[in-house]
Amino acid sequence: GVPFSEVVEVSGKKDFVVQYEVKLQQSLVCGGAYLKLLRHDPSSEPKLSKLQNDTPYVVMFGPDKCGTTNKVHFILQHQNPLTGKWEEKHHTKPPQVKNDRQTHLYTLHIKSNNDFTMYVDMQEDAKGNLLQDMDPPVNPPAMIDDSSDKKPKDWVDDEMIPDPNASKPDDWDEDAPAMIEDMDAEMPEGWLEDAPEYIADPEAKVPDDWDEEEDGEWEAPMVPNPACQEGPGCGQWVRPMVANPNYRGKWNAALIRNPDFVGAWKPKQVENPDFFEDPDPHSMARMSGLAVEIWTTNGGILMDNLVVSHSLDSAFGYAEKTWKLKSAAEANAVRMAAKAERAKTKQAQLEEGGLFNYMNVYASMAAETFVEQPVVSALTGVVFMTAIILIMGKLRGRAHRHQAATPTPTSTSTSRQQAPPSAPAPPPAGAQDDEEDEEEEEEEEDEDEQDQESEDERASAKGSGDEAEDDADADAEDSEDEKEVYTGPTLRRRTRRVKD
């Protein structure tokens, strides 16, 4: 422990703050690491070199974990003004211990209005009020149970009783088992009943230092029979168990309301002779020193940067310069160690080879890059997606231009192999005259274009030799015949109307 340069007094509008760091280098299996603010008593000032478990204190604060206990203690010793007795008051909802190997900061802030807050790593973790959230309460109850009051012997406080008129049904079998063999089950095909489940390890060898005279006859260790693992099983086959549909269990009579029920008995209430009311338990006893109490089964507990103050801002300001820098360095060391371990794993996967390993490594690298540099990764993703969109747009535009540049085949042809067009359907009844005029103008333009194309084709056919000329003449004759039958003005007009 260490004495204060001056006695710490908490009263009036003063707050009280105690703060310190704890590092559990081997975690905490069973142990505690507390601070005790020692009570100032001029008549019997404790010797800090001879502190005991019962050395008087005012506040005890810190982590404690063992078995089912896992909490950060806040205990206030408060004096009963009537009896002079000091009693421990425990916070009823404490936070849990940070049980890792990093340095953590624990802070207790008691305010002048009796509210208190417990912080872990500068983050609020629990809060309460000295008058409402301590056990036992700071102020005892005004009324208590009369210890001399006894429950009458004829008092009936059983609200429900078994029905005395009920009887067990004749077909109720209490001895029927809950589980029975499944009689519908059949032994799986291929089950090896004669094969043992375990056999002597055929690869086992007698150790070189085995002495049969001293160690006895050597026997190979038993291993699972591989024949059993390849098939459905081996050894004696036993039917599986299923729930017994006839199981009913032990019979009990139904419960009914007790006609003699009076109610739950409670002792009489009397005035508490030790009652008092302290409206301001925040005004604690004066403190003259600070002591560290550590008990543990596995060791490795470090405590540092202890602060006692009247200002939370002052305590947190000190933590910004000490604990926060230390915590950041430790977190970075953990990240670097994990990164090195991941790099080692990736290298092993790359050396092993295989598509799955390569995909796993590169996916992991991409994820790490995104976590470490999210802004750069996001910008890279936006640029990549923009480039993909632009490329797709250019390809689509090129496809449209290619499609527009491809000539559309005409409806007529001079080739003998092309079948004559089928007769078009008649124009719809009741068509408007102005629509027919527009269609006739469009058809005349189409006829001019088609006649020009026919002339070009004939001119090209004449320059291809004697045989081509004969074929061209025959084709021309056929074309003329076809035009007389299929491509007259009326037919074209009708075809145009149908298409429109």
Side-chain angles (χ1 to χ4, degrees), residues 337-396:
K339 187 174 182 179
E341 186 64 26
R342 289 194 299 270
K344 184 178 179 181
T345 302
K346 293 174 189 174
Q347 184 62 33
Q349 290 178 330
L350 290 175
E351 292 177 356
E352 182 180 350
L355 178 60
F356 178 78
N357 284 337
Y358 285 125
M359 292 176 62
N360 188 27
V361 169
Y362 293 131
S364 177
M365 291 172 63
E368 289 180 5
T369 302
F370 182 79
V371 172
E372 294 175 357
Q373 299 180 350
V375 176
V376 175
S377 300
L379 291 176
T380 303
V382 171
V383 172
F384 178 75
M385 292 303 297
T386 303
I388 292 296
I389 293 172
L390 292 175
I391 292 172
M392 294 299 293
K394 288 183 178 181
L395 293 176
R396 183 175 297 178

Side-chain angles (χ1 to χ4, degrees), residues 237-426:
W237 181 76
V238 179
R239 294 181 183 275
M241 304 296 287
V242 294
N244 184 358
N246 299 320
Y247 173 74
R248 305 184 71 176
K250 182 176 177 59
W251 181 85
N252 293 296
L255 295 177
I256 62 173
R257 185 172 181 80
N258 189 349
D260 299 327
F261 175 67
V262 177
W265 182 84
K266 294 181 180 179
K268 294 186 299 183
Q269 297 288 293
V270 295
E271 293 185 358
N272 185 357
D274 297 330
F275 172 74
F276 68 89
E277 187 173 8
D278 180 1
D280 188 24
H282 143 268
S283 297
M284 300 175 288
R286 299 197 301 168
M287 293 162 278
S288 59
L290 182 148
V292 172
E293 181 174 316
I294 295 178
W295 70 276
T296 179
T297 59
N298 50 311
I301 298 178
L302 299 180
M303 302 170 69
D304 198 4
N305 293 320
L306 288 70
V307 175
V308 176
S309 175
H310 293 295
S311 169
L312 180 65
D313 292 338
S314 175
F316 276 3
Y318 184 73
E320 291 279 353
K321 302 175 183 178
T322 54
W323 170 81
K324 206 155 193 178
L325 299 179
K326 184 186 299 182
S327 179
E330 290 179 349
N332 184 62
V334 171
R335 284 194 298 269
M336 295 304 293
K339 187 174 182 179
E341 186 64 26
R342 289 194 299 270
K344 184 178 179 181
T345 302
K346 293 174 189 174
Q347 184 62 33
Q349 290 178 330
L350 290 175
E351 292 177 356
E352 182 180 350
L355 178 60
F356 178 78
N357 284 337
Y358 285 125
M359 292 176 62
N360 188 27
V361 169
Y362 293 131
S364 177
M365 291 172 63
E368 289 180 5
T369 302
F370 182 79
V371 172
E372 294 175 357
Q373 299 180 350
V375 176
V376 175
S377 300
L379 291 176
T380 303
V382 171
V383 172
F384 178 75
M385 292 303 297
T386 303
I388 292 296
I389 293 172
L390 292 175
I391 292 172
M392 294 299 293
K394 288 183 178 181
L395 293 176
R396 183 175 297 178
R398 183 177 299 176
H400 285 314
R401 290 194 297 273
H402 177 72
Q403 184 177 2
T406 302
T408 303
T410 59
S411 61
T412 61
S413 173
T414 58
S415 173
R416 294 181 179 178
Q417 298 177 356
Q418 180 171 351
S422 59

